[in-house]
Amino acid sequence: MSDNEQQKRAAAEAAFEYVVEGAYLGVGTGSTVNHFIDVLAERRPAIKGCVSSSEATTARLKRAGFDVETLNFAGDLSVYVDGADEVNPRLELIKGGGGAMTREKIIAQVSDTFVCMVDTSKQVDVLGAFPLPIEVIEMGRSAVARALVKMGGLPELREDFRSDNGHPIIDVYHLDLTDPKDIETRINAIPGVVTAGLFAHRPADVLIVAGGDGVTAQKR
């Protein structure tokens, strides 16, 4: 296992400490989450089941022997565990590199505690080096892109990709994200936008960071 994969595994092990037994667990999407699912499979916590943010995560959880329920059935959640593409010191995030940010945002919004796992490379002072993913309705794709250009961004359609919801994703470069809440509000107000991959209005509650010197946890 590479150093980076070992760090992801260490972050996943630290995140396991936040799992609440006897409740449904929200589970995100991505390579670090895959390590978290491996930890769940090894330790077998007595949870009711899981609520998944993607079809890929659902399949992995089921292979590991966990029941996966819809959020409509499970209701509000105690804990949601996921990763991020970037995180700033206020625990505001960019997510959506894997294209699952709409479902991730829904689950995060109804969870009491959002635990985010990253390695040190994902920590930034100001968000925006990672392009901002935006899920859009196909009909409004070009109109949304033009609106993003007016905001100073450089939008690029993610080629040959559709979200689990069946929608295209635009990755936006060069946006000024010094005020993530404002930008999140403005983008989400554009007709045709499903959601932006900014998690500023709903940031992480706990940030677990794995690096060469070990694992740290920061609370908002």
Side-chain angles (χ1 to χ4, degrees):
M1 190 182 294
S2 68
D3 288 346
N4 184 251
E5 292 301 310
Q6 288 177 358
Q7 290 174 12
K8 291 178 181 179
R9 169 72 188 205
E13 291 177 347
F16 180 83
E17 302 304 318
Y18 293 87
V19 172
V20 176
E21 295 197 337
Y24 287 102
L25 173 65
V27 183
T29 299
S31 57
T32 307
V33 171
N34 288 341
H35 282 283
F36 178 70
I37 295 171
D38 291 344
V39 173
L40 288 176
E42 293 165 12
R43 301 186 183 182
R44 313 305 301 185
I47 56 176
K48 285 185 177 180
C50 299
V51 174
S52 165
S53 70
S54 70
E55 300 303 322
T57 292
T58 295
R60 194 177 185 98
L61 285 166
K62 287 183 176 179
R63 285 196 301 269
F66 291 99
D67 292 331
V68 179
E69 297 289 356
T70 67
L71 184 61
N72 290 329
F73 179 86
D76 291 351
L77 304 175
S78 297
V79 177
Y80 173 50
V81 178
D82 203 353
D85 298 300
E86 276 189 348
V87 55
N88 69 16
R90 295 186 298 274
L91 308 196
E92 298 165 332
L93 315 168
I94 286 181
K95 292 175 55 55
M101 66 279 194
T102 298
R103 298 187 186 189
E104 291 169 347
K105 188 173 284 191
I106 292 169
I107 297 173
Q109 186 63 40
V110 301
S111 298
D112 294 334
T113 303
F114 175 13
V115 179
C116 182
M117 310 171 293
V118 298
D119 59 70
T120 53
S121 68
K122 306 296 179 64
Q123 291 183 289
V124 297
D125 291 328
V126 179
L127 299 174
F130 191 91
L132 177 64
I134 301 174
E135 184 168 348
V136 299
I137 300 295
E138 173 63 34
M139 176 186 175
R141 175 167 53 83
S142 295
V144 171
R146 292 193 297 273
L148 292 167
V149 169
K150 291 179 181 178
M151 292 177 62
L154 177 61
E156 291 186 4
L157 178 66
R158 192 176 297 186
E159 294 291 341
D160 301 319
F161 185 88
R162 287 291 187 272
S163 72
D164 286 344
N165 306 312
H167 300 135
I169 288 179
I170 296 172
D171 294 306
V172 189
Y173 297 78
H174 307 314
L175 275 177
D176 180 357
L177 299 182
T178 52
D179 188 348
K181 287 183 178 178
D182 176 65
I183 295 297
E184 182 178 1
T185 298
R186 289 170 61 190
I187 291 176
N188 285 337
I190 299 171
V193 169
V194 178
T195 199
L198 271 173
F199 285 59
H201 288 286
R202 181 47 174 119
D205 298 302
V206 178
L207 179 68
I208 294 173
V209 182
D213 296 329
V215 178
T216 61
Q218 175 186 346
K219 294 185 178 181
R220 178 165 58 90

